[in-house]
Amino acid sequence: MKSFNTYNIFIYTALPCEAKPLIEHFKLKKDIDVRAFAVYVNKNICLVVTGLGKSAMASAVGYTQARYISNEHTVLLNIGIAGHQQHSLGELFLIDKITDIDSQKSYYPTLINTASCLRDGLQTVSKPQPQYHASKLCDMEASAFYETAVRFTSSELIVCLKIISDNKDSSIDAIDAKQVSAFISAKLSIIEEILIKVSALAALINVPEPQMFNELLQKYHFTAHQRQQLKSQLSRWDILTDQRPLLMVDTNLVCGKEVLLWINSHINTLNFTL
């Protein structure tokens, strides 16, 4: 059963110790009507403790996005721990590339250029890794989070933050729940800063019907779902280009699906900054 709400931010953590400082900081209360996952909410934020691993993360994102009726463009944040060979414990990173080791698929979250934290790439694995990659962070959920999240919101509104919990000098076996909570507590101001900036972008995207929307509906056939995708993509184009005209001449497109692919390919060529 779908629930009506005003949530514009969804936060996903794998572990309760990752969630605890966020629950306290944002004054979240447990939603006792949800039993599939531990869910904590206030007026604007929904936080979900998913459990470890890619399957748990994908299930939690899909379940909550299907359960709660939210704004068309919501902010989805994954925050959790990761290992690295050399990075210092407690360091916070904004992830700019996610690679799933099993599928070898890579995803490229849009960056917040003014974020007050470092950036790095991340590899997602299915089992804990005692050996550390020489250059990338390592976790067990991020690829599943991004792959699922992008089905429900614009890619500009999907954020992955990781805090270093273990390295070559402090192994994964030494991870302590209280220490993880302390690491995240120390970075709450930066986490909130990022959420504010991405939420501001979401507010800009939630605008009336964008340019060309009705024109394209008259020219091509779109299913109901494709109409929603069209509105979202045209809104993103308007925001990212300051409403620069999208010239669709001599494209030889014949259906709504081809239009969506064409627009998306042009959006992907844009250099986005916030």
Side-chain angles (χ1 to χ4, degrees):
M1 178 178 179
K2 282 183 174 287
S3 302
F4 290 93
N5 64 81
T6 58
Y7 311 143
N8 50 36
I9 296 172
F10 286 82
I11 301 173
Y12 296 91
T13 73
L15 301 171
C17 59
E18 298 165 338
K20 183 178 178 181
L22 297 163
I23 293 169
E24 294 174 353
H25 180 74
F26 292 113
K27 297 179 172 58
L28 306 178
K29 302 295 183 183
K30 190 168 186 179
D31 186 342
I32 59 175
D33 293 328
V34 181
R35 297 182 180 179
F37 300 94
V39 176
Y40 301 83
V41 300
N42 65 15
K43 182 179 179 181
N44 302 313
I45 298 174
C46 175
L47 182 148
V48 186
V49 181
T50 68
L52 286 171
K54 292 188 288 185
S55 294
M57 177 61 71
S59 297
V61 175
Y63 175 84
T64 51
Q65 292 301 305
R67 179 182 177 90
Y68 296 108
I69 300 173
S70 57
N71 296 322
E72 182 179 349
H73 298 286
T74 51
V75 175
L76 272 64
L77 166 68
N78 168 226
I79 181 166
I81 57 175
H84 189 271
Q85 187 180 73
Q86 297 176 337
H87 289 323
S88 300
L89 299 184
E91 194 72 75
L92 176 68
F93 287 87
L94 177 65
I95 302 304
D96 56 15
K97 179 181 179 180
I98 302 168
T99 300
D100 186 287
I101 294 302
D102 295 328
S103 68
Q104 287 300 303
K105 290 182 178 179
S106 292
Y107 310 94
Y108 299 87
T110 301
L111 293 181
I112 306 159
N113 287 342
T114 56
S116 304
C117 64
L118 300 173
R119 303 172 190 172
D120 208 339
L122 171 75
Q123 59 180 12
T124 297
V125 298
S126 297
K127 297 180 180 179
Q129 301 294 305
Q131 302 297 323
Y132 296 100
H133 191 282
S135 62
K136 292 183 177 64
L137 282 70
C138 183
D139 90 325
M140 296 177 60
E141 291 87 26
S143 63
F145 163 73
Y146 190 91
E147 186 175 18
T148 310
V150 79
R151 301 179 184 182
F152 297 100
T153 194
S154 300
S155 60
E156 295 87 355
L157 308 181
I158 301 172
V159 181
C160 184
L161 292 171
K162 294 295 171 178
I163 286 186
I164 303 300
S165 59
D166 53 292
N167 56 28
K168 62 182 178 61
D169 297 320
S170 180
S171 75
I172 192 171
D173 294 328
I175 295 175
D176 176 75
K178 290 184 178 179
Q179 187 180 49
V180 169
S181 295
F183 287 158
I184 293 179
S185 293
K187 302 296 183 181
L188 282 170
S189 61
I190 299 175
I191 295 168
E192 186 167 22
E193 170 198 339
I194 290 172
L195 286 174
I196 289 171
K197 290 179 178 179
V198 183
S199 295
L201 176 60
L204 289 175
I205 296 178
N206 284 310
V207 294
E209 290 179 355
Q211 298 180 44
M212 297 183 63
F213 182 69
N214 290 322
E215 176 184 335
L216 290 173
L217 288 184
Q218 294 175 5
K219 189 173 181 179
Y220 302 96
H221 173 71
F222 294 87
T223 66
H225 180 63
Q226 288 172 340
R227 287 185 178 208
Q228 196 65 36
Q229 288 181 298
L230 177 64
K231 182 178 179 182
S232 175
Q233 287 189 349
L234 290 175
S235 294
R236 289 169 61 194
W237 174 268
D238 285 348
I239 293 297
L240 297 176
T241 66
D242 195 22
Q243 298 191 331
R244 188 174 75 208
L246 180 61
L247 302 178
M248 299 182 65
V249 294
D250 300 325
T251 56
N252 297 318
L253 303 175
V254 298
C255 64
K257 181 179 180 179
E258 291 183 359
V259 172
L260 293 173
L261 291 172
W262 186 89
I263 296 173
N264 188 62
S265 69
H266 281 65
I267 289 175
N268 288 338
T269 65
L270 298 172
N271 292 321
F272 172 72
T273 58
L274 180 60

